[in-house]
Amino acid sequence: MYLNCMKHLVKEEQYQKTKAIVVKFGEPGGTGELLQKKLLERSEKTYNWVYDYWLEDMYLNQRLALPVNSNPAMVFPKQNFKDRKDSLRFAAHLITGVLEYKERIDTRVLPVDFARGQLAGTPLCMKQYYRLFNTYRLPGHKRDTLIIHKPGSTEQEHIIVACKNQFFVLDLVVNKKKLKEMDILTQLEKIVKMAENSEERQPPFGLLTSDGRTEWAQAREVLIKDSVNRESLAVIEKCLCVLCLDNPSGMEVGDTSRALLMLHGGGHEKMGANRWYDKPMQFIVGEDGVCGTVCEHSPFEGIVLVACTEYLMKFMTGSPSKMGRATSVSELPTPARLLWKTTPHIQDLLKASAERLQRLVRDLDMDVHKFEVYGKEFIKKQKMSPDAYIQVALQLAFYRCNGRLVSTYESASIRRFHEGRVDNIRSATSEALAFVKAMTDEKASLSVSHFSYLVPQILGYSHYTVHHAITGLGIDNHLLGLREIAQELKMERPEIFTDETYVASNQFILSTSQVPTTVEMFCCYGPVVPNGYGCCYNPQSDHLLFSVTSFHGSTETCSAVFIKALDEGLVEMRDLCRKTYDGFSHTQLPPHPGMS
């Protein structure tokens, strides 16, 4: 399967070299057989043999800064606040919804998820939900640590509120009574007033969490030498979530600008320091109506984030704000401002972090685009899977821009297994290459023969999805397991894992993910390699929403150019499908099981 995935993506000479290496690796009594035996032994002793390997490889070992490179964002509908107090009412109502949702998680009343589409009806592991609010990513010099607090811990009875780059503790339980919504609003009003006091203003320590992971780990070691800093860090690291109260950004408020503010806050000159990027759930409420959440990705996948945020959006619109006078607490204590002890060295560290964040902000090239010619209903009428169809369109767009296909990542949920996270659907198939070559052949006009290239790609993609990636039979996790077992055995790294083809297979120049929503919001994230694209898409009945990112620093990429090629390809694919009605019987194709 590995050879089939890579044959058409590397030169013939390199492929023949790789084939020989793979054959040698798989010989009876060879290295591959030994490592497979050890992997099977590991699988008998663990709930999920790949989970720890995958978590470290995908997240904890990565040294890049979390903003853009790792943390995805969910952009909420634009709010029309009349004034600052209106935005605080929204924030108080939102936090009330968060507490209600967390209680459902803690009391285990959250309904079990079941698979939809392919293999519908299979129950899915719920463990990711239990890590939405009780985890924290602690920076390390070589590897980060995912801290998991016990559910319902009394240490987790507070949230952190960021306002004007200051951090405040909002206790949710006072005198053994939970704060009501009016209480939360009262405390938020106090926090805003305190944040305006310039005499007590602290340096913007949130900037340190926006830095590379090793740099932040080194800075944290400097900070914790002082007990004041140690105490402030401990309080943040044990909070339920972070609420960021943003000032107006001054930017023109469109989909792209809102997405940028969620991903990186606009840098230290805007809201980039009004964040704490290590915390998995950060809710952002801007005075100008720019709202959403930015997440540390290591504890959970996008589908869990969608479930949580959709619950909150429905709570916000369907549950009336309970702003009657609170009776729970007569006298609310003043929220505590977190204090920091600084030194000239720490000031230098803050300045360096600010500069690196600003470089990242300047480098990100983002384009959020609404394709309105048609949506997933048209695709389903062609008896095709919308996800497979869009993946083909992405391959066509990339080929049109670059004249080649590359290793492509599309996450496939493996929550059918205990602690299952994702494997990879490698959608840059040989069938896809045949289709995009036919579609870009200037000598040929659109015809039924082009459709004959499209059908195998759609069906081949779906076969790989069903029978391999989502059922735990994909190649990526398996190869990762064999590689890591070899390292644990202190073996010299097998040649299959040092080979140029394997390196290329893990350079995901096109990183894609389908994140559909049932309410008006969208997800976005950055590229995973310097010369790549991040493409998150949200298929709706009458339109397709794309969030495309790349880096200005690469001469090989441009988000606007990619979007233009994507638009053209989607229109051509529609025209091809329409033309086919005259020359090809759609009844030959069965309704696709993954069309939901």
Side-chain angles (χ1 to χ4, degrees), residues 165 167 202-203 205-206 223 226 228-230 232-233 236 276 338-342:
N165 304 339
F167 296 93
Q202 303 286 301
F205 272 76
L223 291 187
D226 187 281
V228 172
N229 296 337
R230 267 200 312 276
S232 291
L233 286 168
I236 293 174
W276 199 271
L338 291 182
L339 303 176
W340 306 95
K341 283 287 180 70
T342 188

Side-chain angles (χ1 to χ4, degrees), residues 76 87 91 120 152 178 214 251 363 385 396 400 453 467 487 501 531 564 595:
F76 293 170
S87 71
K178 292 180 182 178
T214 300
M251 296 168 68
D363 200 17
S385 154
L396 178 56
R400 194 158 257 150
Y453 285 109
H467 297 291
Q487 190 169 319
T501 300
N531 61 332
K564 184 173 182 289
M595 293 197 300

Side-chain angles (χ1 to χ4, degrees), residues 307-491:
C308 173
T309 50
E310 286 196 345
Y311 178 92
L312 293 174
M313 286 296 96
K314 288 168 185 174
F315 173 87
M316 298 290 285
T317 54
S319 173
S321 182
K322 296 170 185 173
M323 285 297 179
R325 179 59 228 155
T327 56
S328 58
V329 181
S330 56
E331 286 298 321
L332 292 171
T334 302
R337 182 197 299 263
L338 291 182
L339 303 176
W340 306 95
K341 283 287 180 70
T342 188
T343 63
H345 179 40
I346 291 172
Q347 291 286 5
D348 289 342
L349 292 172
L350 285 166
K351 186 180 177 185
S353 294
E355 288 171 356
R356 282 189 283 268
L357 176 60
Q358 213 59 34
R359 281 203 295 272
L360 186 60
V361 167
R362 284 194 297 268
D363 200 17
L364 185 63
D365 176 11
M366 171 173 264
D367 196 333
V368 179
H369 175 66
K370 194 175 186 179
F371 177 79
E372 297 184 282
V373 179
Y374 59 89
K376 67 178 179 181
E377 288 308 314
F378 169 80
I379 302 168
K380 286 158 73 171
K381 283 176 183 173
Q382 313 312 306
K383 300 183 180 178
M384 296 181 189
S385 154
D387 187 42
Y389 183 100
I390 293 168
Q391 281 291 326
V392 174
L394 292 172
Q395 296 301 324
L396 178 56
F398 190 89
Y399 188 85
R400 194 158 257 150
C401 293
N402 299 276
R404 63 185 178 122
L405 293 189
V406 290
S407 288
T408 301
Y409 183 94
E410 185 195 0
S411 56
S413 173
I414 49 172
R415 284 174 59 210
R416 287 161 180 77
F417 302 94
H418 180 78
E419 288 203 336
R421 291 293 296 267
V422 294
D423 207 325
N424 179 18
I425 302 167
R426 289 181 169 266
S427 54
T429 61
S430 55
E431 293 90 350
L433 182 60
F435 173 71
V436 300
K437 279 184 173 179
M439 288 294 284
T440 53
D441 183 353
E442 293 178 3
K443 296 173 186 174
S445 58
L446 285 181
S447 66
V448 174
S449 63
H450 286 88
F451 193 81
S452 67
Y453 285 109
L454 177 61
V455 174
Q457 164 55 11
I458 298 285
L459 296 182
Y461 167 96
S462 301
H463 176 82
Y464 187 83
T465 307
V466 177
H467 297 291
H468 297 111
I470 65 175
T471 55
L473 297 173
I475 64 169
D476 287 72
N477 283 343
H478 195 176
L479 287 170
L480 172 66
L482 295 170
R483 190 189 80 194
E484 294 304 300
I485 280 282
Q487 190 169 319
E488 283 182 9
L489 294 172
K490 294 184 168 52
M491 291 172 59

